[in-house]
């Protein structure tokens, strides 16, 4: 649930409502565009178009990644609102059957430029570097996170002894074995929506495995979708309906579904 206590009688209004409609429609577009044969930048450009309909903007540089075996961030990615350097970093790619994607929809009412915040990071992830750690505490910490979390993000609160884990993490960070996931912020008077979900690509369409559910009745926006291309996309179904195969007659004149001969 993403509505924070709103009800149909007392819905969210103003810029927060605009933002949530923008984020949800981008989420819905992803479920329709991330399919076999489409390109990653098709999704990027559509997200920009949808956000503009609500006077919002995707947050610059945030990424969605294909999830592969033991890799939280696979080689394929989608980048939101990229600058020139980020476009060079994010190579063009084509979606393929049976890919799993972790989709982060991050939209802002401001200028979409992430800024460092005063909040200390509490989530970390393992990097691919190698170094012979000097401290026993550090070696034990690195061994534990390698076995428990592999390349996936983790929090120090998940460790058995958080104090010792913090000591071990310090040396690991200094030598690029792990990195903290920085907490960014927008301007103080602006809002950011972040919807995260996992999806699976199949030949008949996408399957949303996990993620938030959106109730449009809880958000009252003054904007509406006017772009014909967006409206056409969102009107399509996410999954193709399989055509039922007609049963073959056992022989000439054999009845089908209890009806024999002629058109019914």
């Amino acid at each position: 649930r993403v509505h924070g206590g709103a009800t149909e009688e007392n819905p969210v209004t103003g810029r927060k409502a605009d933002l949530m409609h923008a984020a949800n429609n981008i989420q819905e577009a992803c479920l329709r565009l991330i399919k076999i044969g489409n390109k990653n930048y098709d999704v990027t450009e559509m997200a920009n178009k949808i956000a503009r309909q609500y006077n919002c903007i995707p947050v610059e540089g945030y990424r969605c990644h294909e999830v592969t075996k033991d890799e939280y961030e696979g080689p394929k990615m989608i980048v939101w609102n990229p600058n020139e350097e980020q476009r060079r970093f994010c190579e063009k790619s084509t979606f393929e059957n049976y890919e799993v994607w972790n989709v982060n929809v991050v939209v802002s009412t401001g200028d979409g430029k992430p800024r460092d915040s005063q909040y200390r990071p509490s989530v970390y992830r393992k990097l691919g570097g190698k170094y012979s750690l000097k401290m026993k505490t550090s070696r034990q910490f690195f061994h534990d996170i390698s076995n428990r979390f592999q390349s996936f993000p983790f929090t120090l609160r998940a460790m058995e002894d958080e104090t010792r884990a913090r000591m071990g993490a310090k040396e690991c960070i200094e030598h690029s074995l792990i990195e903290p996931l920085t907490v960014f912020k927008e301007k103080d008077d602006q809002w950011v929506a972040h919807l995260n979900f996992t999806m699976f690509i199949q030949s008949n369409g996408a399957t949303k495995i996990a993620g938030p559910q959106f109730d449009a009745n809880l958000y009252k926006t003054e904007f509406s979708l006017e772009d014909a291309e967006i409206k056409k996309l969102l009107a399509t179904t996410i999954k193709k309906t399989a055509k039922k195969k007609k049963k073959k007659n056992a022989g000439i004149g054999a009845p089908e579904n209890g009806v024999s001969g002629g058109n019914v």
Side-chain angles (χ1 to χ4, degrees), residues 55-82:
N55 196 23
C56 295
I57 188 169
V59 176
E60 181 183 289
Y62 267 76
R63 303 193 299 265
C64 312
H65 280 269
E66 178 195 6
V67 180
T68 58
K69 189 174 186 288
D70 298 327
E71 287 293 334
Y72 179 70
E73 294 186 347
K76 290 185 179 181
M77 69 179 77
I78 301 164
V79 61
W80 302 129
N81 189 24

Side-chain angles (χ1 to χ4, degrees), residues 239-252:
K239 278 187 173 292
K240 298 176 184 176
T241 303
K243 294 181 180 179
K244 293 183 178 179
K245 294 182 179 179
K246 292 183 179 180
K247 293 181 180 179
K248 293 183 179 180
N249 291 338
I252 297 174

Side-chain angles (χ1 to χ4, degrees), residues 68-201:
T68 58
K69 189 174 186 288
D70 298 327
E71 287 293 334
Y72 179 70
E73 294 186 347
K76 290 185 179 181
M77 69 179 77
I78 301 164
V79 61
W80 302 129
N81 189 24
N83 57 34
E84 288 305 315
E85 182 180 350
Q86 290 159 352
R87 280 187 179 274
R88 288 193 294 269
F89 175 74
C90 179
E91 296 181 357
K92 293 181 180 179
S93 61
T94 302
F95 302 115
E96 298 179 28
N97 202 12
Y98 302 125
E99 288 181 348
V100 177
W101 279 78
N102 179 39
V103 181
N104 286 291
V105 176
V106 190
V107 189
S108 170
T109 58
D111 60 12
K113 304 285 186 182
R115 298 160 174 80
D116 289 339
S117 72
Q118 70 274 26
Y119 302 108
R120 185 173 69 177
S122 61
V123 179
Y124 301 79
R125 66 177 171 185
K126 183 182 170 187
L127 300 174
K130 293 183 179 181
Y131 179 78
S132 181
L133 294 163
K134 303 296 188 290
M135 294 174 55
K136 182 179 178 181
T137 303
S138 303
R139 293 195 297 271
Q140 184 61 51
F141 167 77
F142 191 71
H143 177 269
D144 290 345
I145 65 168
S146 297
N147 287 341
R148 291 181 60 189
F149 307 110
Q150 290 87 44
S151 63
F152 293 88
F154 63 92
T155 174
L156 297 182
R157 293 192 300 272
M159 307 303 292
E160 185 175 341
D161 187 330
E162 185 176 346
T163 302
R164 289 179 64 83
R166 197 170 295 281
M167 292 171 57
K170 184 178 179 181
E171 187 181 5
C172 291
I173 293 170
E174 289 173 353
H175 298 286
S176 301
L177 297 182
I178 66 171
E179 70 173 355
L181 299 184
T182 306
V183 180
F184 293 108
K185 68 174 184 178
E186 247 285 9
K187 292 179 180 177
D188 291 341
D189 59 343
Q190 300 299 328
W191 300 95
V192 174
H194 183 186
L195 304 183
N196 174 251
F197 65 96
T198 305
M199 61 173 291
F200 177 50
I201 301 175

Side-chain angles (χ1 to χ4, degrees), residues 11-79:
V12 176
T13 59
R15 295 299 284 145
K16 291 182 183 178
D18 303 338
L19 181 68
M20 290 305 300
H21 276 276
N24 178 66
N25 281 326
I26 292 173
Q27 173 182 238
E28 292 297 320
C30 288
L31 289 167
R32 290 161 174 80
L33 284 177
I34 300 177
K35 64 181 184 179
I36 300 169
N38 280 0
K39 311 292 185 182
N40 55 342
Y41 277 101
D42 296 340
V43 184
T44 299
E45 299 309 321
M46 180 55 72
N48 289 339
K49 290 184 69 172
I50 292 173
R52 284 196 295 267
Q53 297 279 293
Y54 296 93
N55 196 23
C56 295
I57 188 169
V59 176
E60 181 183 289
Y62 267 76
R63 303 193 299 265
C64 312
H65 280 269
E66 178 195 6
V67 180
T68 58
K69 189 174 186 288
D70 298 327
E71 287 293 334
Y72 179 70
E73 294 186 347
K76 290 185 179 181
M77 69 179 77
I78 301 164
V79 61

Side-chain angles (χ1 to χ4, degrees), residues 3 5-14 17 215-221:
H3 50 75
T7 63
E8 292 188 22
E9 294 75 26
N10 185 30
V12 176
T13 59
D215 186 345
N217 294 322
L218 302 179
Y219 300 90
K220 187 176 181 181
T221 178

